[in-house]
Amino acid sequence: MKKNIHSMNNPIRSLWNNKTRRTTFSTYAVVIVAFVIMQLLDSAGMLSYAMRGQLIPICVYIVLAISLNLVVGISGELSLGHAGFMGVGAFVGAVTSTALQGLIPDATLRLVFSMVLGGIFAAIMGLIIGIPVLRLRGDYLAIVTLAFGEIIRNIANNLYVGMDEKGLHFAFLSEEGLHMSDAGKLVMAGPRGTVNITPIATFLTGFILILITLFIVLNLVNSKEGRAIKAIRDNRIAAESVGINVMSFKLKAFVISAILAGMAGALYGLSMSNVTSVKFSFTTSIDILVFVVLGGMGNILGSVIAATILTLLPELMRPLADYRMIMYAIVLIVVMLFTWSPKLKGAIEVVTGNLKEWLGKLTNKKEVGTNG
Amino acid sequence: MAVLQYLINGLSIGSIYAIIALGYTMVYGIAKMLNFAHGDVIMVGAYISYCVMIYLKMPPVVAILAAIVVCTVLGVLIEALAYRPLRGTSSLAVLITAIGVSYFLQNAAQLIWGVAQKTYSSVVTMESVHLFDGKILITGEVIVTIITSAVVMVCLTLFTSKTRTGKAMRAVSEDRDAAQLMGINVNRTIAVTFAIGSALAAIAGVLLCSASPALKPTTGSMPGIRAFTAAVFGGIGSVPGAMLGGILLGVIEELCKGLISTQFSDAIVFGVLIIVLLVKPTGLLGKQIQEKV
């Protein structure tokens, strides 16, 4: 009772005593502090060229991991086609940016516009895919989302887009099908991916996109709708029987996730001069899923940290040369075994328990020592 | 005539998918996990047989046997080290571990055999057969593939329905706890399932690389995904379903390539899969599980 009155009087303490607010606050804090540190390091010239090249991809993967966590962790649907939405965003973003080059000379404004359009197209794809697919369950849902991702990749792999003074031209399978004038230039060249792209993405926009993503997802999760979505995950039938519209909530989570993935994809597509559709195959979807599972299902801060570390890990392990990818695989397996296996978990608890006891004894002795 | 040619080619590639899909479906049925590393076991099998033939200059039969032995041991090892400790936990955790194993196998293969593509020499020495004045060409590989997979399917069906171990496997996939109470050694049964699945993967690897001779560390991943699709298509967990799904998928793929478009064959195959699953959400021969409240 006394504690309660105390917490009401002190706003900071009341913020800290509410678990939801505490997680939300620490999530934002970690992201902002990390951004400031990276900016400082960068301006001091302490980042290697390779590290600087990883800054935007890290932002992209963080957004992808958070948005996939919304589907897999919060909504409880295993999706293996997340990279498909990223691909839609990347290609739509690249085409938009090129098409608007004359109209909007300001790079930042053009980038924002391209990202929004990438998000809208990904949302449309999310709706088209979500309405039929979310009726399926479990592993069947996983395989159908994987199939959709592969279809998107396959179509993008054969799509040619060109731009001349008359506007955009689209064709499948060959460049000749575009019928462009001589002044025209290619934007997408089938298997060669995007071409002639001016990279306009910046670390700052990536950071802002993360903040927007956090704002949307955290608010959704902590709202009434978020609780409905979690209720569906935990027991679909019970949720349905208390009047929750299962399809509409699942679809909402799925489409929001697609929008965020599309925006991240647009940022990714505009961060380098060439992106091919191979990037958006199921391997990338699986990589994002690894971030989500390792970070903790439904744990947003976990996704942020896992995406950052796992994106940097191959870079940090560069001294291992040829062995780095195999080390990555081993680290992944070992971490999964130690975090999930009941036996190993028990063993770790015994070890840490002993360690704590031992440390406790040690500090006790010290105290005794100083007293004496 | 052309359609008949596509059908024969489709039957051949479909039989390979079916053999791989059997591995997926058996493991799924019994251990309730998606073994994403299965495709990479195929690749290992192909590399082992390649090495035995090229470096040790052994006849193809020895190479195939060596591949089967190595893959069987590998499959059992993977199960014991990576999957068994996670049994009974979240299926997603096992899925991610399987992905880790898949990365591990691909990168180990890259370290051992290099990134460069190797040209696999076919294990089949049979002459091609020409029918209808050469309008239809049936290569030796196609004949051997179809015969081998027919034999494999018959053996596997007999094994699961007649032998004690086979019956134990079906019992475990039906209800693991009840099977254990009846005195079935669940761990051993699951290990046997992995052994059989991996042996089949070795055979599939040899057949696959005999038909299309490009061998590299990622050789197994695309056929693996296709076969996984085939297993789901037929109804995952069902042995006849995997056979039917594999063959249908192969035939559809070849018909698409021949009659519609080579470039869009992926999109069409996956599109067909989606339509089938939307109409019949548990696959062609999958069991409909009633939900009890």
Side-chain angles (χ1 to χ4, degrees):
Chain A
M1 196 63 200
K2 200 177 170 191
K3 215 176 184 181
N4 256 342
I5 295 166
H6 193 73
S7 67
M8 277 168 93
N9 288 343
N10 188 338
I12 294 172
R13 182 152 296 179
S14 83
L15 184 85
W16 200 247
N17 281 344
N18 181 322
K19 194 171 169 250
T20 322
R21 282 196 204 139
R22 194 163 61 207
T23 6
T24 309
F25 177 75
S26 49
T27 308
Y28 282 113
V30 167
V31 170
I32 293 169
V33 168
F35 172 75
V36 171
I37 291 174
M38 287 319 259
Q39 278 293 37
L40 286 177
L41 282 177
D42 193 22
S43 56
M46 279 164 75
L47 287 182
S48 68
Y49 181 74
M51 279 291 246
R52 271 177 53 196
Q54 291 295 321
L55 288 179
I56 298 175
I58 286 174
C59 296
V60 170
Y61 287 125
I62 287 176
V63 174
L64 286 168
I66 297 173
S67 56
L68 187 64
N69 204 341
L70 182 61
V71 172
V72 178
I74 315 273
S75 178
E77 307 284 358
L78 179 54
S79 162
L80 293 179
H82 209 53
F85 297 122
M86 180 194 180
V88 169
F91 292 130
V92 170
V95 171
T96 314
S97 162
T98 315
L100 294 178
Q101 211 141 28
L103 221 61
I104 311 175
D106 182 56
T108 317
L109 198 63
R110 204 164 71 237
L111 177 64
V112 171
F113 208 85
S114 307
M115 277 163 61
V116 169
L117 218 61
I120 291 173
F121 270 83
I124 296 169
M125 287 310 294
L127 267 178
I128 296 174
I129 296 171
I131 290 172
V133 162
L134 289 172
R135 293 175 198 285
L136 297 170
R137 302 221 185 103
D139 299 325
Y140 287 95
L141 185 107
I143 190 76
V144 171
T145 44
L146 187 152
F148 265 116
E150 288 299 295
I151 291 176
I152 292 174
R153 184 192 59 80
N154 189 216
I155 291 173
N157 201 37
N158 293 304
L159 181 64
Y160 286 78
V161 181
M163 158 102 179
D164 62 7
E165 63 283 346
K166 277 191 220 146
L168 289 169
H169 296 254
F170 296 90
F172 279 118
L173 297 176
S174 77
E175 204 182 321
E176 283 71 48
L178 291 173
H179 304 296
M180 278 193 299
S181 65
D182 295 336
K185 65 172 186 171
L186 266 178
V187 184
M188 271 179 74
R192 280 188 287 137
T194 57
V195 284
N196 302 322
I197 300 295
T198 343
I200 49 175
T202 56
F203 183 38
L204 182 67
T205 23
F207 168 68
I208 293 169
L209 183 62
I210 295 177
L211 288 186
I212 294 171
T213 307
L214 281 177
F215 182 76
I216 293 174
V217 173
L218 286 173
N219 275 314
L220 178 71
V221 170
N222 298 330
S223 70
K224 193 182 161 201
E225 302 195 342
R227 286 191 292 276
I229 292 171
K230 281 188 270 187
I232 297 170
R233 172 194 67 188
D234 294 337
N235 192 333
R236 191 182 57 85
I237 295 170
E240 214 165 14
S241 67
V242 294
I244 293 172
N245 186 340
V246 170
M247 261 311 278
S248 114
F249 280 108
K250 273 189 189 176
L251 194 63
K252 196 171 269 174
F254 194 74
V255 171
I256 290 175
S257 160
I259 295 174
L260 294 171
M263 291 177 81
L267 185 73
Y268 184 83
L270 289 169
S271 71
M272 43 196 81
S273 52
N274 172 261
V275 178
T276 59
S277 59
V278 179
K279 179 72 205 166
F280 310 113
S281 69
F282 75 100
T283 345
T284 307
S285 301
I286 283 175
D287 282 338
I288 306 166
L289 184 66
V290 169
F291 301 155
V292 173
V293 177
L294 274 188
M297 303 272 279
N299 186 336
I300 304 297
L301 182 59
S303 291
V304 173
I305 295 171
T308 312
I309 293 177
L310 288 182
T311 312
L312 283 177
L313 198 60
E315 212 51 59
L316 295 174
M317 293 200 295
R318 214 166 259 284
L320 294 170
D322 291 343
Y323 293 92
R324 68 187 173 124
M325 282 320 285
I326 205 164
M327 284 309 293
Y328 179 88
I330 292 172
V331 167
L332 182 60
I333 298 172
V334 169
V335 168
M336 286 314 291
L337 287 181
F338 274 92
T339 44
W340 286 90
S341 165
K343 269 187 199 162
L344 288 173
K345 239 163 107 180
I348 294 174
E349 269 157 25
V350 170
V351 171
T352 48
N354 284 346
L355 209 67
K356 262 183 200 155
E357 211 173 286
W358 182 70
L359 276 176
K361 270 184 198 162
L362 213 70
T363 44
N364 270 344
K365 255 186 203 159
K366 254 189 194 163
E367 271 167 21
V368 173
T370 46
N371 282 346
Chain B
M1 269 315 138
V3 175
L4 193 60
Q5 176 78 63
Y6 302 140
L7 277 178
I8 292 167
N9 292 348
L11 198 60
S12 163
I13 185 80
S15 318
I16 299 178
Y17 289 155
I19 297 180
I20 309 171
L22 283 172
Y24 270 112
T25 229
M26 282 166 61
V27 164
Y28 184 87
I30 206 158
K32 297 283 173 291
M33 65 164 288
L34 298 175
N35 182 10
F36 256 95
H38 193 64
D40 301 293
V41 178
I42 301 168
M43 172 271 299
V44 173
Y47 267 112
I48 297 291
S49 56
Y50 174 84
C51 287
V52 172
M53 279 194 293
I54 302 294
Y55 300 127
L56 303 177
K57 306 253 183 300
M58 294 286 193
V61 182
V62 182
I64 297 170
L65 286 178
I68 291 176
V69 171
V70 171
C71 285
T72 308
V73 173
L74 185 68
V76 174
L77 267 181
I78 292 172
E79 196 272 327
L81 293 178
Y83 302 156
R84 190 173 298 172
L86 294 174
R87 196 171 297 153
T89 58
S90 147
S91 64
L92 248 182
V94 193
L95 178 76
I96 302 291
T97 314
I99 290 164
V101 173
S102 161
Y103 285 169
F104 177 80
L105 291 179
Q106 280 182 20
N107 289 297
Q110 191 171 324
L111 280 178
I112 299 171
W113 292 293
V115 202
Q117 184 171 314
K118 295 201 184 329
T119 312
Y120 195 87
S121 57
S122 173
V123 293
V124 181
T125 44
M126 214 167 127
E127 289 288 311
S128 299
V129 179
H130 293 266
L131 295 177
F132 304 107
D133 306 325
K135 277 185 190 142
I136 288 182
L137 169 79
I138 306 177
T139 58
E141 283 83 6
V142 168
I143 297 171
V144 171
T145 303
I146 293 174
I147 293 173
T148 315
S149 28
V151 171
V152 162
M153 287 173 199
V154 170
C155 289
L156 200 69
T157 315
L158 286 178
F159 177 78
T160 48
S161 57
K162 300 279 184 232
T163 64
R164 252 183 105 76
T165 321
K167 283 177 187 164
M169 278 164 61
R170 283 191 298 146
V172 173
S173 78
E174 194 98 345
D175 188 331
R176 191 185 292 165
D177 294 331
Q180 196 153 23
L181 288 173
M182 293 296 130
I184 292 172
N185 185 341
V186 171
N187 276 341
R188 201 185 71 99
T189 312
I190 294 183
V192 169
T193 311
F194 269 87
I196 295 174
S198 307
L200 292 180
I203 298 173
V206 172
L207 291 174
L208 186 76
C209 286
S210 295
S212 53
L215 178 56
K216 50 179 192 268
T218 51
T219 293
S221 60
M222 204 52 205
I225 286 297
R226 285 288 170 84
F228 173 41
T229 314
V232 177
F233 192 55
I236 195 151
S238 147
V239 170
M243 298 176 190
L244 181 69
I247 290 172
L248 275 182
L249 195 78
V251 169
I252 294 172
E253 186 184 326
E254 285 300 315
L255 285 177
C256 280
K257 280 186 183 162
L259 300 176
I260 307 173
S261 153
T262 319
Q263 284 92 342
F264 287 112
S265 69
D266 272 359
I268 296 168
V269 168
F270 284 118
V272 171
L273 170 85
I274 291 169
I275 293 166
V276 167
L277 284 185
L278 292 180
V279 177
K280 216 170 168 312
T282 49
L284 292 174
L285 300 181
K287 264 184 279 176
Q288 193 82 44
I289 297 163
Q290 282 291 322
E291 211 169 339
K292 287 178 194 149
V293 185

